[in-house]
């Protein structure tokens, strides 16, 4: 039998040729081999500067600017420093002698002014005077203390305390002692054997109340003046 041939074979060949570009190759591309004369030379890849322009031989110089009529040149005057120094020495005030102290037989000496032995600071006009910043700081501290005391007094006025009179103090003391006697009687009436949890708790509660009453009675008896808040 005859071999099968597709009816699209011509169409496929035509599409393949149409879509094929020049740079599309089968296998490695065919590139020209570099010539052996074009080898890499030394400093060939370094940037090269533009060549300098040669000056023309017949080039004329630019004309110089002419100064105006009102121009006055600066005249440098030579100074005589020897005469100047001599005049300064003659007209100047004489230097005061510096105070020295000799402390050895060989004549070793040192200045008195920076040593602390010379009375330098006590001769100042403001010696012994309190500095201004210290006075200012003291005034600020005093003002802050007065403001604090005023605020405390204001808070005390808002939360004024009332003093108990002697009669009220005696009545409170009697009531506390009476309450203590009642609780003490209840405490002594407890059974000897505390074998249940309820008995133990009741005994501990009575002991706490007795201790608190004893503390309050001792505090009121100790202090004659008792204050309470309104």
């Amino acid at each position: 039998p005859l071999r099968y041939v597709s009816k699209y074979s011509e169409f496929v060949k035509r599409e393949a040729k149409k879509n094929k570009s020049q740079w599309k190759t089968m296998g490695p591309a065919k590139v020209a081999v570099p010539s052996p004369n074009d080898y890499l030379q030394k400093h060939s890849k370094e940037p090269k500067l533009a060549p300098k322009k040669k000056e023309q031989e017949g080039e004329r110089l630019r004309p110089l600017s002419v100064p105006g009529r009102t121009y006055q040149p600066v005249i440098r005057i030579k100074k005589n420093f020897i005469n100047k120094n001599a005049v300064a020495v003659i007209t100047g005030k004489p230097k005061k002698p510096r105070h020295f102290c000799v402390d050895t037989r060989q004549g070793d000496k040192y200045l008195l002014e920076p040593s602390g032995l010379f009375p330098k600071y006590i001769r100042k006009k403001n010696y012994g005077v309190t500095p201004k910043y210290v006075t200012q700081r003291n005034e600020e501290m005093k003002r802050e203390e007065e403001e604090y005391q005023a605020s405390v007094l204001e808070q005390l006025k808002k939360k004024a305390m009332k003093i108990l009179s002697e009669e009220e103090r005696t009545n409170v003391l009697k009531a506390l002692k009476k309450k203590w006697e009642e609780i003490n009687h209840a405490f002594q009436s407890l059974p000897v054997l505390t074998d249940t949890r309820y008995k133990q708790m009741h005994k501990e509660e009575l002991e706490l109340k007795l201790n608190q009453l004893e503390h309050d009675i001792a505090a009121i008896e100790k202090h004659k003046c008792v204050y309470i808040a309104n």
Side-chain angles (χ1 to χ4, degrees):
L2 297 176
R3 184 171 60 88
Y4 172 77
V5 179
S6 175
K7 64 179 180 178
Y8 297 105
S9 59
E10 297 295 334
F11 175 75
V12 172
K13 290 178 182 180
R14 188 167 55 252
E15 289 293 328
K17 289 181 180 180
K18 185 173 64 175
N19 295 331
K20 188 174 181 181
S21 302
Q22 295 179 359
W23 57 83
K24 291 183 179 180
T25 60
M26 292 295 293
K30 295 180 180 180
V31 183
V33 181
S35 175
N37 297 328
D38 299 335
Y39 58 88
L40 183 64
Q41 298 181 2
K42 189 177 183 181
H43 305 295
S44 61
K45 291 188 177 182
E46 294 181 359
K48 296 181 180 180
L49 300 176
K52 295 182 179 180
K53 295 181 180 180
K54 295 183 179 181
E55 297 180 358
Q56 297 179 4
E57 297 179 357
E59 189 177 5
R60 296 181 180 180
L61 297 175
R62 293 182 182 179
L64 298 175
S65 59
V66 180
R69 293 182 180 180
T70 58
Y71 175 74
Q72 295 180 357
V74 179
I75 302 173
R76 296 184 179 180
I77 302 173
K78 293 183 179 181
K79 294 182 180 180
N80 192 347
F81 292 99
I82 297 175
N83 295 339
K84 184 180 178 181
N85 294 338
V87 171
V89 171
I90 293 169
T91 57
K93 294 182 180 180
K95 293 183 179 180
K96 294 182 179 180
R98 305 181 73 180
H99 298 275
F100 291 96
C101 179
V102 181
D103 57 351
T104 60
R105 291 186 298 174
Q106 286 77 15
D108 297 333
K109 58 184 179 180
Y110 58 91
L111 293 173
L112 276 177
E113 186 174 352
S115 65
L117 301 174
F118 190 75
K120 178 180 178 182
Y121 298 99
I122 61 176
R123 295 182 181 178
K124 289 185 175 181
K125 294 181 180 179
N126 57 352
Y127 177 76
V129 180
T130 306
K132 292 183 180 180
Y133 73 92
V134 176
T135 307
Q136 185 178 1
R137 186 180 300 173
N138 292 337
E139 291 177 356
E140 291 178 357
M141 292 175 62
K142 186 177 180 180
R143 185 171 61 255
E144 291 177 358
E145 184 67 21
E146 291 176 355
E147 293 176 357
Y148 174 73
Q149 293 295 339
S151 64
V152 170
L153 290 175
E154 187 177 357
Q155 292 293 332
L156 290 177
K157 288 180 182 178
K158 291 180 180 179
K159 301 177 182 179
M161 305 294 288
K162 178 184 176 182
I163 185 171
L164 286 178
S165 62
E166 186 64 26
E167 184 180 358
E168 292 176 344
R169 176 175 170 275
T170 305
N171 293 336
V172 171
L173 195 59
K174 288 181 180 179
L176 290 174
K177 290 182 178 180
K178 185 178 180 182
K179 186 68 175 178
W180 182 86
E181 290 177 357
E182 293 176 359
I183 296 176
N184 188 33
H185 179 71
F187 181 77
Q188 292 178 352
S189 301
L190 290 175
V192 178
L193 183 62
T194 54
D195 52 351
T196 60
R197 181 60 181 168
Y198 172 76
K199 292 180 180 180
Q200 293 177 359
M201 293 175 62
H202 185 53
K203 182 180 179 181
E204 291 175 358
E205 184 181 357
L206 293 176
E207 287 177 349
L208 289 174
K209 289 182 179 180
L210 287 174
N211 292 333
Q212 184 64 37
L213 288 171
E214 290 173 358
H215 178 268
D216 296 341
I217 291 170
I220 295 176
E221 288 180 346
K222 181 179 180 181
H223 303 285
K224 298 296 182 182
C225 298
V226 181
Y227 293 88
I228 58 173
N230 290 334

